[in-house]
Amino acid sequence: MKYFLTIFISLLLLTGCDDGDLITENFVFENATVQKCSSSNVLYKINDVEALIFNTPETNFPNTETIVNTPRVVSIGGATSLIYRKFATTTSTTNICDTPTIPILEEWTVTGGTAEITTIKILDTNGTTVVAYNHNIVFKNITFVTPDKQIVYDSYTFGSYRTEIINLNFDYSLATTQKCGGNNLIFKYNSNNALLLDVDPLLFPNSVVGSPRTRVINGTTNKVVYRVYNGSLNTNFFCAAITPSTPTLTEEWIAQDGVTGTSGIISVETVALDATHFKHTITLYKTTFKKGVLTYIYPTNDNFVFGEYITTL
Protein backbone atom coordinates (compact mmCIF):
# COMPACT_ATOMS: atom_id res chain seq x y z
CA MET A 1 0.00 0.00 0.00
CA LYS A 2 2.81 2.41 0.89
CA TYR A 3 4.46 1.55 -2.44
CA PHE A 4 1.40 2.47 -4.46
CA LEU A 5 0.87 5.63 -2.38
CA THR A 6 4.46 6.71 -3.11
CA ILE A 7 3.97 6.18 -6.85
CA PHE A 8 0.68 8.14 -6.77
CA ILE A 9 2.25 11.11 -4.98
CA SER A 10 5.21 11.07 -7.36
CA LEU A 11 2.88 11.16 -10.36
CA LEU A 12 0.99 14.10 -8.87
CA LEU A 13 4.23 16.02 -8.34
CA LEU A 14 5.39 15.35 -11.89
CA THR A 15 2.05 16.39 -13.35
CA GLY A 16 1.82 19.52 -11.23
CA CYS A 17 5.31 20.70 -12.18
CA ASP A 18 5.05 20.02 -15.90
CA ASP A 19 3.63 23.40 -16.93
CA GLY A 20 6.01 25.31 -14.68
CA ASP A 21 9.04 23.40 -15.97
CA LEU A 22 8.05 24.07 -19.58
CA ILE A 23 7.65 27.80 -18.99
CA THR A 24 10.84 28.09 -16.97
CA GLU A 25 12.83 26.40 -19.72
CA ASN A 26 11.28 27.91 -22.84
CA PHE A 27 9.64 31.18 -21.79
CA VAL A 28 12.35 33.57 -20.63
CA PHE A 29 11.96 37.30 -21.43
CA GLU A 30 13.03 38.87 -18.13
CA ASN A 31 16.12 40.54 -19.64
CA ALA A 32 14.45 41.57 -22.90
CA THR A 33 13.38 45.17 -23.52
CA VAL A 34 9.81 46.10 -24.41
CA GLN A 35 9.77 47.49 -27.95
CA LYS A 36 7.01 48.95 -30.12
CA CYS A 37 6.20 48.66 -33.81
CA SER A 38 6.30 52.04 -35.56
CA SER A 39 3.16 51.50 -37.63
CA SER A 40 0.90 49.58 -35.24
CA ASN A 41 -0.07 49.21 -31.57
CA VAL A 42 2.06 46.09 -31.12
CA LEU A 43 4.42 45.89 -28.13
CA TYR A 44 6.85 42.99 -28.07
CA LYS A 45 9.87 41.36 -26.44
CA ILE A 46 12.42 39.20 -28.24
CA ASN A 47 14.70 36.51 -26.84
CA ASP A 48 16.72 34.99 -29.68
CA VAL A 49 14.20 32.76 -31.54
CA GLU A 50 11.27 33.62 -29.26
CA ALA A 51 8.89 36.59 -29.13
CA LEU A 52 6.15 37.69 -26.77
CA ILE A 53 3.70 39.95 -28.61
CA PHE A 54 1.15 42.22 -26.91
CA ASN A 55 -1.32 44.07 -29.11
CA THR A 56 -3.70 46.58 -27.51
CA PRO A 57 -5.12 49.99 -28.50
CA GLU A 58 -2.88 52.98 -27.77
CA THR A 59 -5.77 54.48 -25.78
CA ASN A 60 -4.92 52.02 -22.99
CA PHE A 61 -1.77 54.07 -22.35
CA PRO A 62 -3.08 57.58 -21.65
CA ASN A 63 -0.64 60.15 -20.30
CA THR A 64 -2.37 60.14 -16.92
CA GLU A 65 -1.03 58.66 -13.70
CA THR A 66 -2.98 55.80 -12.19
CA ILE A 67 -4.06 55.91 -8.55
CA VAL A 68 -1.64 54.17 -6.18
CA ASN A 69 -2.38 50.43 -6.01
CA THR A 70 -5.17 50.85 -8.58
CA PRO A 71 -3.79 49.87 -12.00
CA ARG A 72 -5.69 50.31 -15.24
CA VAL A 73 -7.23 46.90 -16.07
CA VAL A 74 -7.58 45.75 -19.67
CA SER A 75 -9.28 42.46 -20.54
CA ILE A 76 -7.45 40.22 -22.99
CA GLY A 77 -9.65 39.41 -25.94
CA GLY A 78 -11.07 41.27 -28.92
CA ALA A 79 -8.81 44.22 -29.74
CA THR A 80 -6.30 43.12 -27.06
CA SER A 81 -4.23 39.99 -27.61
CA LEU A 82 -1.13 38.27 -26.22
CA ILE A 83 0.81 35.74 -28.32
CA TYR A 84 4.00 33.72 -27.86
CA ARG A 85 5.90 32.71 -30.99
CA LYS A 86 8.91 30.52 -31.55
CA PHE A 87 10.75 31.00 -34.85
CA ALA A 88 13.05 28.65 -36.74
CA THR A 89 15.99 31.05 -36.37
CA THR A 90 16.85 34.21 -34.46
CA THR A 91 14.06 36.71 -35.02
CA SER A 92 13.98 40.50 -35.30
CA THR A 93 11.63 43.47 -35.41
CA THR A 94 10.82 42.86 -39.08
CA ASN A 95 9.33 39.45 -38.29
CA ILE A 96 7.12 40.94 -35.59
CA CYS A 97 5.93 44.19 -37.17
CA ASP A 98 5.75 43.00 -40.80
CA THR A 99 5.08 39.70 -42.54
CA PRO A 100 7.50 37.12 -41.07
CA THR A 101 10.31 36.09 -43.41
CA ILE A 102 11.32 33.03 -41.37
CA PRO A 103 9.16 30.04 -40.39
CA ILE A 104 7.13 30.11 -37.17
CA LEU A 105 7.56 26.78 -35.39
CA GLU A 106 5.10 27.41 -32.55
CA GLU A 107 2.42 29.94 -31.71
CA TRP A 108 0.59 30.04 -28.40
CA THR A 109 -2.37 32.36 -27.88
CA VAL A 110 -3.74 33.61 -24.58
CA THR A 111 -7.34 33.13 -23.59
CA GLY A 112 -8.82 35.08 -20.70
CA GLY A 113 -7.00 37.10 -18.13
CA THR A 114 -6.18 40.78 -17.93
CA ALA A 115 -3.34 43.24 -18.35
CA GLU A 116 -2.82 45.55 -15.37
CA ILE A 117 -1.15 48.83 -16.34
CA THR A 118 0.36 51.12 -13.72
CA THR A 119 1.24 54.57 -15.07
CA ILE A 120 3.61 57.08 -13.47
CA LYS A 121 4.94 60.39 -14.79
CA ILE A 122 8.59 61.01 -15.69
CA LEU A 123 10.05 64.43 -14.89
CA ASP A 124 12.89 66.29 -16.56
CA THR A 125 16.34 66.60 -14.96
CA ASN A 126 15.14 69.61 -12.98
CA GLY A 127 12.30 67.55 -11.53
CA THR A 128 9.68 70.12 -12.52
CA THR A 129 8.34 69.33 -15.99
CA VAL A 130 6.60 66.12 -17.07
CA VAL A 131 8.34 64.84 -20.21
CA ALA A 132 6.88 61.34 -20.50
CA TYR A 133 4.92 58.58 -18.77
CA ASN A 134 6.04 55.07 -17.86
CA HIS A 135 3.48 52.26 -18.13
CA ASN A 136 4.34 49.05 -16.23
CA ILE A 137 2.44 46.04 -17.65
CA VAL A 138 1.64 42.93 -15.63
CA PHE A 139 -0.53 40.09 -16.96
CA LYS A 140 -2.90 38.42 -14.51
CA ASN A 141 -4.58 35.00 -14.68
CA ILE A 142 -3.58 34.34 -18.28
CA THR A 143 -3.77 30.97 -20.01
CA PHE A 144 -1.54 30.12 -22.98
CA VAL A 145 -3.18 27.55 -25.25
CA THR A 146 -0.44 25.39 -26.79
CA PRO A 147 -0.82 22.54 -29.29
CA ASP A 148 -1.02 19.93 -26.54
CA LYS A 149 -1.72 21.67 -23.22
CA GLN A 150 -2.64 24.84 -21.39
CA ILE A 151 -0.10 26.90 -19.46
CA VAL A 152 -1.40 29.18 -16.75
CA TYR A 153 0.23 32.21 -15.14
CA ASP A 154 -1.32 33.84 -12.09
CA SER A 155 0.97 36.83 -12.66
CA TYR A 156 3.55 37.60 -15.33
CA THR A 157 5.47 40.88 -15.55
CA PHE A 158 5.77 41.97 -19.18
CA GLY A 159 7.73 45.17 -18.56
CA SER A 160 7.51 48.92 -19.07
CA TYR A 161 6.43 50.99 -22.06
CA ARG A 162 7.17 54.71 -22.27
CA THR A 163 4.99 57.31 -23.98
CA GLU A 164 6.28 60.79 -24.68
CA ILE A 165 4.39 64.02 -24.10
CA ILE A 166 3.01 65.21 -27.45
CA ASN A 167 2.81 68.98 -27.61
CA LEU A 168 2.32 70.21 -31.15
CA ASN A 169 3.01 73.87 -31.78
CA PHE A 170 -0.46 75.25 -32.50
CA ASP A 171 0.29 78.88 -31.66
CA TYR A 172 -0.75 80.78 -34.77
CA SER A 173 -2.15 83.87 -33.06
CA LEU A 174 0.39 86.15 -34.80
CA ALA A 175 0.39 84.31 -38.14
CA THR A 176 -1.63 85.54 -41.12
CA THR A 177 -4.31 83.36 -42.70
CA GLN A 178 -3.40 82.90 -46.36
CA LYS A 179 -4.84 81.23 -49.44
CA CYS A 180 -3.23 80.03 -52.63
CA GLY A 181 -4.79 80.99 -55.94
CA GLY A 182 -6.15 78.17 -58.07
CA ASN A 183 -7.00 75.75 -55.23
CA ASN A 184 -8.89 75.57 -51.93
CA LEU A 185 -5.84 75.51 -49.68
CA ILE A 186 -5.99 77.91 -46.72
CA PHE A 187 -3.02 77.90 -44.36
CA LYS A 188 -1.06 79.49 -41.53
CA TYR A 189 2.58 78.83 -40.73
CA ASN A 190 5.17 79.58 -38.06
CA SER A 191 8.82 79.06 -38.85
CA ASN A 192 8.96 75.32 -39.66
CA ASN A 193 5.35 74.18 -39.00
CA ALA A 194 2.02 74.80 -40.69
CA LEU A 195 -1.69 74.12 -40.27
CA LEU A 196 -3.43 73.57 -43.60
CA LEU A 197 -7.12 73.42 -44.52
CA ASP A 198 -8.38 72.09 -47.85
CA VAL A 199 -12.11 72.66 -47.46
CA ASP A 200 -15.38 73.33 -49.28
CA PRO A 201 -15.22 76.88 -50.77
CA LEU A 202 -18.95 77.29 -50.06
CA LEU A 203 -17.90 77.87 -46.45
CA PHE A 204 -16.70 81.34 -47.53
CA PRO A 205 -19.49 83.10 -49.45
CA ASN A 206 -19.45 86.86 -49.96
CA SER A 207 -22.56 87.18 -47.83
CA VAL A 208 -23.69 86.82 -44.23
CA VAL A 209 -26.55 84.47 -45.01
CA GLY A 210 -26.55 81.16 -43.11
CA SER A 211 -23.73 82.06 -40.75
CA PRO A 212 -22.16 80.20 -39.07
CA ARG A 213 -21.70 77.35 -41.55
CA THR A 214 -20.19 73.99 -40.62
CA ARG A 215 -18.59 70.98 -42.28
CA VAL A 216 -17.47 67.71 -40.77
CA ILE A 217 -13.78 66.95 -41.30
CA ASN A 218 -13.19 64.06 -43.70
CA GLY A 219 -10.33 62.85 -45.81
CA THR A 220 -11.96 63.76 -49.13
CA THR A 221 -13.47 67.24 -49.30
CA ASN A 222 -12.75 68.83 -45.91
CA LYS A 223 -9.21 68.06 -44.82
CA VAL A 224 -7.11 69.49 -42.00
CA VAL A 225 -3.41 68.67 -41.71
CA TYR A 226 -0.59 69.77 -39.39
CA ARG A 227 2.93 69.52 -40.84
CA VAL A 228 6.46 70.04 -39.55
CA TYR A 229 9.45 70.63 -41.84
CA ASN A 230 13.22 70.59 -41.35
CA GLY A 231 13.64 74.25 -42.27
CA SER A 232 11.93 77.62 -42.47
CA LEU A 233 8.77 78.08 -44.56
CA ASN A 234 7.38 80.87 -46.71
CA THR A 235 4.20 81.53 -48.68
CA ASN A 236 5.75 80.43 -52.00
CA PHE A 237 6.46 77.00 -50.56
CA PHE A 238 2.72 76.26 -50.36
CA CYS A 239 1.58 78.13 -53.47
CA ALA A 240 4.28 77.16 -55.96
CA ALA A 241 3.08 75.13 -58.96
CA ILE A 242 5.78 72.57 -58.11
CA THR A 243 6.50 72.04 -54.41
CA PRO A 244 10.11 73.05 -53.62
CA SER A 245 12.48 70.24 -52.69
CA THR A 246 13.46 72.00 -49.46
CA PRO A 247 12.62 72.16 -46.65
CA THR A 248 11.51 68.54 -46.40
CA LEU A 249 8.56 67.17 -44.45
CA THR A 250 9.49 65.53 -41.13
CA GLU A 251 6.06 65.07 -39.49
CA GLU A 252 2.48 64.94 -40.72
CA TRP A 253 -0.53 64.83 -38.38
CA ILE A 254 -3.85 64.25 -40.14
CA ALA A 255 -7.15 65.40 -38.60
CA GLN A 256 -9.46 62.41 -38.25
CA ASP A 257 -12.96 62.20 -39.69
CA GLY A 258 -15.46 64.03 -37.52
CA VAL A 259 -18.92 63.16 -36.29
CA THR A 260 -21.80 65.51 -37.05
CA GLY A 261 -22.66 67.62 -34.01
CA THR A 262 -20.02 65.91 -31.86
CA SER A 263 -16.40 66.32 -33.00
CA GLY A 264 -14.08 67.10 -35.87
CA ILE A 265 -16.10 70.09 -37.07
CA ILE A 266 -15.04 73.11 -39.12
CA SER A 267 -17.16 76.16 -38.34
CA VAL A 268 -17.08 79.47 -40.26
CA GLU A 269 -18.81 82.63 -39.12
CA THR A 270 -19.01 85.51 -41.60
CA VAL A 271 -19.45 89.26 -41.08
CA ALA A 272 -19.44 92.08 -43.64
CA LEU A 273 -16.57 94.54 -43.29
CA ASP A 274 -18.08 96.79 -45.95
CA ALA A 275 -20.03 96.42 -49.19
CA THR A 276 -17.33 94.37 -50.87
CA HIS A 277 -15.22 92.74 -48.11
CA PHE A 278 -16.22 89.87 -45.84
CA LYS A 279 -14.39 88.42 -42.84
CA HIS A 280 -14.70 84.69 -42.19
CA THR A 281 -13.65 83.41 -38.74
CA ILE A 282 -12.62 79.74 -38.95
CA THR A 283 -12.93 77.55 -35.84
CA LEU A 284 -12.04 73.88 -35.32
CA TYR A 285 -14.13 71.98 -32.78
CA LYS A 286 -12.82 68.91 -30.89
CA THR A 287 -10.30 67.91 -33.52
CA THR A 288 -8.21 64.73 -33.23
CA PHE A 289 -4.94 64.51 -35.13
CA LYS A 290 -3.08 61.25 -35.78
CA LYS A 291 0.41 60.34 -36.95
CA GLY A 292 0.70 56.60 -37.35
CA VAL A 293 -0.59 55.19 -34.05
CA LEU A 294 0.02 58.43 -32.14
CA THR A 295 -2.96 60.64 -31.27
CA TYR A 296 -3.12 64.32 -30.40
CA ILE A 297 -6.42 65.92 -29.41
CA TYR A 298 -6.59 69.64 -29.93
CA PRO A 299 -7.93 71.93 -28.74
CA THR A 300 -8.30 70.76 -25.17
CA ASN A 301 -10.92 73.45 -24.52
CA ASP A 302 -13.08 72.22 -27.44
CA ASN A 303 -12.71 75.25 -29.74
CA PHE A 304 -9.58 76.36 -31.58
CA VAL A 305 -9.84 79.56 -33.59
CA PHE A 306 -7.81 78.90 -36.72
CA GLY A 307 -8.01 82.51 -37.82
CA GLU A 308 -9.73 85.13 -39.95
CA TYR A 309 -9.90 84.92 -43.73
CA ILE A 310 -10.94 87.88 -45.91
CA THR A 311 -12.77 87.57 -49.23
CA THR A 312 -13.66 90.27 -51.71
CA LEU A 313 -16.55 90.66 -54.19
Side-chain angles (χ1 to χ4, degrees):
M1 182 64 182
K2 289 183 180 179
Y3 173 76
F4 287 108
L5 182 59
T6 300
I7 293 177
F8 179 69
I9 293 173
S10 298
L11 287 172
L12 283 177
L13 290 173
L14 286 172
T15 303
C17 294
D18 184 59
D19 289 353
D21 290 343
L22 179 61
I23 290 295
T24 300
E25 182 181 349
N26 298 317
F27 204 72
V28 181
F29 293 94
E30 286 79 2
N31 296 323
T33 301
V34 175
Q35 302 179 68
K36 188 177 191 300
C37 295
S38 60
S39 59
S40 71
N41 294 318
V42 171
L43 301 175
Y44 61 94
K45 300 179 79 171
I46 291 175
N47 178 27
D48 193 32
V49 300
E50 300 171 292
L52 192 58
I53 305 166
F54 180 45
N55 188 359
T56 193
E58 186 73 12
T59 52
N60 288 324
F61 302 102
N63 286 338
T64 305
E65 282 193 305
T66 50
I67 299 172
V68 176
N69 297 324
T70 309
R72 191 177 303 108
V73 179
V74 179
S75 296
I76 296 177
T80 297
S81 63
L82 179 60
I83 297 173
Y84 164 85
R85 282 180 183 163
K86 185 174 183 179
F87 295 85
T89 58
T90 299
T91 190
S92 64
T93 296
T94 301
N95 294 300
I96 307 299
C97 301
D98 301 311
T99 302
T101 58
I102 56 178
I104 299 173
L105 301 182
E106 294 184 40
E107 180 170 292
W108 308 346
T109 58
V110 164
T111 60
T114 59
E116 294 189 353
I117 303 170
T118 300
T119 301
I120 60 172
K121 59 188 176 184
I122 300 174
L123 302 177
D124 62 8
T125 53
N126 296 324
T128 56
T129 303
V130 180
V131 295
Y133 284 83
N134 188 70
H135 311 273
N136 186 57
I137 306 164
V138 178
F139 299 121
K140 295 285 188 177
N141 301 313
I142 56 174
T143 301
F144 284 91
V145 179
T146 76
D148 56 358
K149 64 179 66 180
Q150 292 185 341
I151 301 172
V152 178
Y153 266 112
D154 292 332
S155 180
Y156 184 88
T157 300
F158 182 69
S160 294
Y161 165 53
R162 172 174 169 144
T163 55
E164 305 297 326
I165 294 293
I166 300 173
N167 187 18
L168 304 184
N169 183 7
F170 271 55
D171 183 10
Y172 295 100
S173 58
L174 300 179
T176 302
T177 303
Q178 303 183 58
K179 185 181 186 302
C180 295
N183 59 45
N184 297 328
L185 187 65
I186 296 173
F187 62 93
K188 301 181 82 169
Y189 68 87
N190 274 328
S191 182
N192 70 332
N193 61 82
L195 191 57
L196 303 97
L197 280 67
D198 186 355
V199 297
D200 185 353
L202 295 178
L203 282 168
F204 311 104
N206 287 326
S207 68
V208 186
V209 177
S211 182
R213 290 163 301 283
T214 62
R215 295 290 187 276
V216 174
I217 293 172
N218 62 62
T220 305
T221 56
N222 294 291
K223 297 178 283 187
V224 180
V225 178
Y226 173 80
R227 290 175 178 165
V228 180
Y229 296 83
N230 69 349
S232 297
L233 299 167
N234 56 50
T235 300
N236 292 332
F237 179 85
F238 299 101
C239 295
I242 299 176
T243 303
S245 58
T246 58
T248 58
L249 181 68
T250 58
E251 290 187 47
E252 183 174 68
W253 296 76
I254 299 174
Q256 300 302 286
D257 289 358
V259 178
T260 301
T262 302
S263 63
I265 298 169
I266 304 166
S267 174
V268 179
E269 186 167 3
T270 302
V271 297
L273 296 178
D274 53 40
T276 59
H277 295 84
F278 296 84
K279 181 177 70 174
H280 311 278
T281 301
I282 308 168
T283 302
L284 304 179
Y285 177 74
K286 286 188 176 179
T287 307
T288 298
F289 291 83
K290 291 197 73 174
K291 185 188 74 168
V293 296
L294 299 178
T295 299
Y296 180 74
I297 300 175
Y298 195 91
T300 54
N301 62 345
D302 290 348
N303 287 320
F304 170 68
V305 179
F306 174 83
E308 297 174 348
Y309 169 53
I310 308 297
T311 59
T312 305
L313 276 174

